[in-house]
Short mmCIF file of all heavy atoms in Angstrom, two decimals:
data_model
loop_
_atom_site.label_atom_id
_atom_site.label_comp_id
_atom_site.label_asym_id
_atom_site.label_seq_id
_atom_site.Cartn_x
_atom_site.Cartn_y
_atom_site.Cartn_z
N LEU A 1 -10.25 -16.36 14.86
CA LEU A 1 -10.42 -14.87 14.89
C LEU A 1 -9.10 -14.16 14.82
O LEU A 1 -8.89 -13.15 14.04
CB LEU A 1 -11.17 -14.50 16.19
CG LEU A 1 -12.65 -14.88 16.18
CD1 LEU A 1 -13.26 -14.47 17.57
CD2 LEU A 1 -13.39 -14.19 15.04
N ILE A 2 -8.07 -14.72 15.54
CA ILE A 2 -6.81 -13.99 15.60
C ILE A 2 -6.10 -14.11 14.28
O ILE A 2 -5.46 -13.18 13.82
CB ILE A 2 -5.93 -14.47 16.81
CG1 ILE A 2 -4.86 -13.40 17.16
CG2 ILE A 2 -5.24 -15.78 16.45
CD1 ILE A 2 -5.43 -12.17 17.73
N ARG A 3 -6.27 -15.26 13.59
CA ARG A 3 -5.61 -15.45 12.25
C ARG A 3 -6.28 -14.58 11.19
O ARG A 3 -5.60 -13.93 10.35
CB ARG A 3 -5.64 -16.90 11.89
CG ARG A 3 -4.72 -17.77 12.65
CD ARG A 3 -4.72 -19.17 12.18
NE ARG A 3 -4.03 -20.04 13.08
CZ ARG A 3 -2.69 -20.33 12.95
NH1 ARG A 3 -1.99 -19.72 12.00
NH2 ARG A 3 -2.05 -21.14 13.78
N ILE A 4 -7.62 -14.44 11.30
CA ILE A 4 -8.29 -13.58 10.42
C ILE A 4 -7.89 -12.09 10.66
O ILE A 4 -7.63 -11.40 9.65
CB ILE A 4 -9.85 -13.76 10.57
CG1 ILE A 4 -10.35 -15.07 9.98
CG2 ILE A 4 -10.65 -12.59 9.89
CD1 ILE A 4 -11.75 -15.39 10.31
N ARG A 5 -7.86 -11.70 11.87
CA ARG A 5 -7.46 -10.36 12.14
C ARG A 5 -6.10 -10.03 11.66
O ARG A 5 -5.89 -8.97 11.06
CB ARG A 5 -7.51 -10.14 13.70
CG ARG A 5 -6.98 -8.81 14.17
CD ARG A 5 -6.99 -8.68 15.67
NE ARG A 5 -6.46 -7.44 16.19
CZ ARG A 5 -5.20 -7.16 16.33
NH1 ARG A 5 -4.25 -8.06 16.04
NH2 ARG A 5 -4.82 -6.01 16.76
N THR A 6 -5.18 -10.98 11.87
CA THR A 6 -3.77 -10.69 11.40
C THR A 6 -3.75 -10.57 9.88
O THR A 6 -3.10 -9.57 9.37
CB THR A 6 -2.91 -11.97 11.78
OG1 THR A 6 -2.88 -12.01 13.23
CG2 THR A 6 -1.51 -11.76 11.30
N HIS A 7 -4.37 -11.40 9.13
CA HIS A 7 -4.28 -11.33 7.72
C HIS A 7 -5.08 -10.23 7.07
O HIS A 7 -4.73 -9.69 6.02
CB HIS A 7 -4.60 -12.66 7.12
CG HIS A 7 -3.59 -13.75 7.38
ND1 HIS A 7 -2.31 -13.72 6.91
CD2 HIS A 7 -3.63 -14.80 8.26
CE1 HIS A 7 -1.62 -14.74 7.36
NE2 HIS A 7 -2.41 -15.43 8.21
N LEU A 8 -6.17 -9.84 7.76
CA LEU A 8 -6.91 -8.58 7.29
C LEU A 8 -6.05 -7.39 7.43
O LEU A 8 -6.00 -6.53 6.56
CB LEU A 8 -8.22 -8.50 8.03
CG LEU A 8 -9.37 -9.43 7.61
CD1 LEU A 8 -10.58 -9.19 8.55
CD2 LEU A 8 -9.78 -9.20 6.19
N THR A 9 -5.32 -7.31 8.57
CA THR A 9 -4.44 -6.18 8.85
C THR A 9 -3.31 -6.11 7.80
O THR A 9 -2.96 -5.12 7.25
CB THR A 9 -3.83 -6.29 10.25
OG1 THR A 9 -4.91 -6.29 11.19
CG2 THR A 9 -2.91 -5.08 10.56
N ILE A 10 -2.69 -7.34 7.55
CA ILE A 10 -1.61 -7.42 6.57
C ILE A 10 -2.13 -6.98 5.19
O ILE A 10 -1.43 -6.20 4.50
CB ILE A 10 -1.00 -8.81 6.53
CG1 ILE A 10 -0.26 -9.12 7.87
CG2 ILE A 10 -0.07 -8.95 5.32
CD1 ILE A 10 0.17 -10.51 7.99
N ALA A 11 -3.26 -7.44 4.82
CA ALA A 11 -3.84 -7.16 3.47
C ALA A 11 -4.13 -5.68 3.40
O ALA A 11 -3.79 -5.03 2.30
CB ALA A 11 -5.10 -7.91 3.23
N LYS A 12 -4.70 -5.04 4.47
CA LYS A 12 -4.96 -3.62 4.45
C LYS A 12 -3.65 -2.80 4.27
O LYS A 12 -3.55 -1.80 3.50
CB LYS A 12 -5.75 -3.25 5.67
CG LYS A 12 -6.20 -1.75 5.64
CD LYS A 12 -6.97 -1.53 6.91
CE LYS A 12 -7.42 0.00 6.90
NZ LYS A 12 -8.26 0.29 8.12
N GLN A 13 -2.64 -3.16 5.03
CA GLN A 13 -1.38 -2.51 4.97
C GLN A 13 -0.78 -2.64 3.61
O GLN A 13 -0.09 -1.70 3.11
CB GLN A 13 -0.41 -3.00 6.03
CG GLN A 13 -0.82 -2.66 7.50
CD GLN A 13 0.01 -3.29 8.57
OE1 GLN A 13 0.73 -4.28 8.30
NE2 GLN A 13 -0.05 -2.78 9.78
N ARG A 14 -0.88 -3.79 3.03
CA ARG A 14 -0.32 -4.03 1.68
C ARG A 14 -1.01 -3.06 0.61
O ARG A 14 -0.35 -2.49 -0.22
CB ARG A 14 -0.53 -5.48 1.28
CG ARG A 14 0.11 -5.81 -0.14
CD ARG A 14 -0.36 -7.13 -0.62
NE ARG A 14 -1.80 -7.12 -0.86
CZ ARG A 14 -2.63 -8.19 -0.87
NH1 ARG A 14 -2.05 -9.36 -0.56
NH2 ARG A 14 -3.88 -8.01 -1.13
N GLU A 15 -2.32 -2.93 0.72
CA GLU A 15 -3.01 -2.08 -0.13
C GLU A 15 -2.55 -0.64 0.01
O GLU A 15 -2.44 0.07 -0.96
CB GLU A 15 -4.50 -2.17 0.09
CG GLU A 15 -5.14 -3.51 -0.29
CD GLU A 15 -6.59 -3.61 -0.01
OE1 GLU A 15 -7.18 -2.59 0.53
OE2 GLU A 15 -7.30 -4.61 -0.32
N GLN A 16 -2.38 -0.28 1.31
CA GLN A 16 -1.91 1.16 1.54
C GLN A 16 -0.54 1.40 0.94
O GLN A 16 -0.27 2.44 0.37
CB GLN A 16 -1.91 1.39 3.05
CG GLN A 16 -3.29 1.49 3.74
CD GLN A 16 -3.20 1.61 5.18
OE1 GLN A 16 -2.18 1.40 5.82
NE2 GLN A 16 -4.33 1.97 5.86
N ILE A 17 0.37 0.46 1.10
CA ILE A 17 1.72 0.55 0.55
C ILE A 17 1.60 0.61 -1.00
O ILE A 17 2.29 1.40 -1.61
CB ILE A 17 2.57 -0.67 1.00
CG1 ILE A 17 2.84 -0.55 2.55
CG2 ILE A 17 3.88 -0.66 0.26
CD1 ILE A 17 3.55 -1.78 3.07
N GLU A 18 0.78 -0.23 -1.56
CA GLU A 18 0.72 -0.25 -3.03
C GLU A 18 0.15 1.10 -3.53
O GLU A 18 0.57 1.72 -4.63
CB GLU A 18 -0.21 -1.36 -3.48
CG GLU A 18 0.41 -2.82 -3.34
CD GLU A 18 -0.52 -3.88 -3.74
OE1 GLU A 18 -1.73 -3.62 -3.92
OE2 GLU A 18 -0.04 -5.07 -3.80
N SER A 19 -0.85 1.61 -2.79
CA SER A 19 -1.39 2.93 -3.20
C SER A 19 -0.39 4.06 -3.08
O SER A 19 -0.29 4.89 -3.91
CB SER A 19 -2.63 3.21 -2.29
OG SER A 19 -3.19 4.51 -2.55
N GLN A 20 0.37 3.97 -1.98
CA GLN A 20 1.49 4.99 -1.81
C GLN A 20 2.52 4.85 -2.89
O GLN A 20 3.03 5.87 -3.38
CB GLN A 20 2.04 4.84 -0.36
CG GLN A 20 1.17 5.17 0.73
CD GLN A 20 1.78 4.86 2.07
OE1 GLN A 20 2.79 4.20 2.16
NE2 GLN A 20 1.09 5.27 3.20
N ASN A 21 2.84 3.66 -3.28
CA ASN A 21 3.80 3.46 -4.33
C ASN A 21 3.31 4.01 -5.68
O ASN A 21 4.11 4.64 -6.39
CB ASN A 21 4.10 1.99 -4.50
CG ASN A 21 5.01 1.42 -3.39
OD1 ASN A 21 5.75 2.18 -2.71
ND2 ASN A 21 5.03 0.11 -3.15
N LEU A 22 2.05 3.77 -5.96
CA LEU A 22 1.48 4.30 -7.14
C LEU A 22 1.49 5.86 -7.15
O LEU A 22 1.83 6.47 -8.19
CB LEU A 22 0.04 3.85 -7.28
CG LEU A 22 -0.15 2.31 -7.69
CD1 LEU A 22 -1.64 2.04 -7.74
CD2 LEU A 22 0.45 2.04 -9.07
N ASN A 23 1.14 6.45 -6.06
CA ASN A 23 1.15 7.95 -5.92
C ASN A 23 2.58 8.38 -6.07
O ASN A 23 2.90 9.49 -6.71
CB ASN A 23 0.59 8.37 -4.53
CG ASN A 23 -0.92 8.02 -4.47
OD1 ASN A 23 -1.58 8.00 -5.44
ND2 ASN A 23 -1.37 7.93 -3.25
N LEU A 24 3.50 7.70 -5.45
CA LEU A 24 4.95 8.11 -5.55
C LEU A 24 5.47 7.98 -6.99
O LEU A 24 6.14 8.92 -7.53
CB LEU A 24 5.83 7.17 -4.62
CG LEU A 24 7.30 7.55 -4.57
CD1 LEU A 24 7.48 8.98 -4.18
CD2 LEU A 24 8.10 6.49 -3.73
N GLN A 25 5.09 6.88 -7.73
CA GLN A 25 5.54 6.76 -9.09
C GLN A 25 4.88 7.91 -9.97
O GLN A 25 5.58 8.38 -10.81
CB GLN A 25 5.03 5.36 -9.57
CG GLN A 25 5.82 4.29 -8.96
CD GLN A 25 5.30 2.84 -9.41
OE1 GLN A 25 4.44 2.82 -10.23
NE2 GLN A 25 5.85 1.86 -8.84
N SER A 26 3.66 8.18 -9.68
CA SER A 26 2.99 9.32 -10.37
C SER A 26 3.69 10.61 -10.12
O SER A 26 3.94 11.46 -11.08
CB SER A 26 1.47 9.34 -10.00
OG SER A 26 0.88 10.44 -10.59
N GLU A 27 4.06 10.81 -8.84
CA GLU A 27 4.73 12.09 -8.44
C GLU A 27 6.09 12.16 -9.19
O GLU A 27 6.51 13.23 -9.62
CB GLU A 27 4.84 12.20 -7.01
CG GLU A 27 5.54 13.40 -6.49
CD GLU A 27 5.61 13.53 -4.97
OE1 GLU A 27 4.96 12.72 -4.33
OE2 GLU A 27 6.35 14.41 -4.45
N ILE A 28 6.79 11.05 -9.20
CA ILE A 28 8.17 10.99 -9.86
C ILE A 28 8.04 11.27 -11.30
O ILE A 28 8.85 12.08 -11.91
CB ILE A 28 8.77 9.62 -9.66
CG1 ILE A 28 9.14 9.45 -8.22
CG2 ILE A 28 10.03 9.45 -10.47
CD1 ILE A 28 9.67 8.02 -7.84
N SER A 29 6.98 10.71 -11.96
CA SER A 29 6.78 10.99 -13.39
C SER A 29 6.50 12.41 -13.67
O SER A 29 6.96 13.02 -14.60
CB SER A 29 5.58 10.05 -13.89
OG SER A 29 5.97 8.72 -13.80
N ASP A 30 5.58 13.00 -12.82
CA ASP A 30 5.24 14.45 -12.94
C ASP A 30 6.49 15.30 -12.77
O ASP A 30 6.72 16.24 -13.50
CB ASP A 30 4.22 14.83 -11.90
CG ASP A 30 2.88 14.18 -12.21
OD1 ASP A 30 2.64 13.73 -13.34
OD2 ASP A 30 1.98 14.11 -11.27
N ARG A 31 7.35 14.95 -11.80
CA ARG A 31 8.55 15.75 -11.63
C ARG A 31 9.50 15.64 -12.73
O ARG A 31 10.12 16.66 -13.15
CB ARG A 31 9.21 15.31 -10.33
CG ARG A 31 8.52 15.73 -9.02
CD ARG A 31 9.32 15.43 -7.79
NE ARG A 31 8.71 15.82 -6.59
CZ ARG A 31 9.19 15.83 -5.33
NH1 ARG A 31 10.46 15.24 -5.20
NH2 ARG A 31 8.58 16.24 -4.38
N LYS A 32 9.67 14.44 -13.35
CA LYS A 32 10.53 14.26 -14.46
C LYS A 32 10.01 15.12 -15.67
O LYS A 32 10.81 15.71 -16.36
CB LYS A 32 10.61 12.75 -14.84
CG LYS A 32 11.41 11.89 -13.91
CD LYS A 32 11.49 10.51 -14.44
CE LYS A 32 12.40 9.68 -13.42
NZ LYS A 32 12.44 8.24 -13.89
N ARG A 33 8.73 15.07 -15.87
CA ARG A 33 8.20 15.87 -16.97
C ARG A 33 8.35 17.35 -16.72
O ARG A 33 8.75 18.13 -17.65
CB ARG A 33 6.73 15.59 -17.12
CG ARG A 33 6.39 14.30 -17.75
CD ARG A 33 4.89 14.26 -18.21
NE ARG A 33 4.02 14.17 -17.04
CZ ARG A 33 3.60 13.07 -16.36
NH1 ARG A 33 3.99 11.92 -16.86
NH2 ARG A 33 2.80 13.11 -15.39
#
């Protein structure tokens, strides 16, 4: 259970970071334009 909890948390945080990076890249592109 504790290993599952740990890796589910890591996976969720990774998805959030990837989503934030995509939003940031989109914002940077919009600002450049």
Side-chain angles (χ1 to χ4, degrees):
L1 290 177
I2 202 68
R3 290 182 187 271
I4 289 175
R5 175 183 178 274
T6 298
H7 291 291
L8 284 176
T9 301
I10 292 173
K12 184 176 182 180
Q13 291 175 343
R14 184 193 66 204
E15 290 178 359
Q16 291 175 345
I17 292 173
E18 290 177 350
S19 176
Q20 290 173 353
N21 286 339
L22 289 175
N23 292 335
L24 182 59
Q25 291 174 5
S26 176
E27 183 179 346
I28 291 173
S29 297
D30 291 342
R31 287 188 177 185
K32 286 183 177 179
R33 287 193 292 269

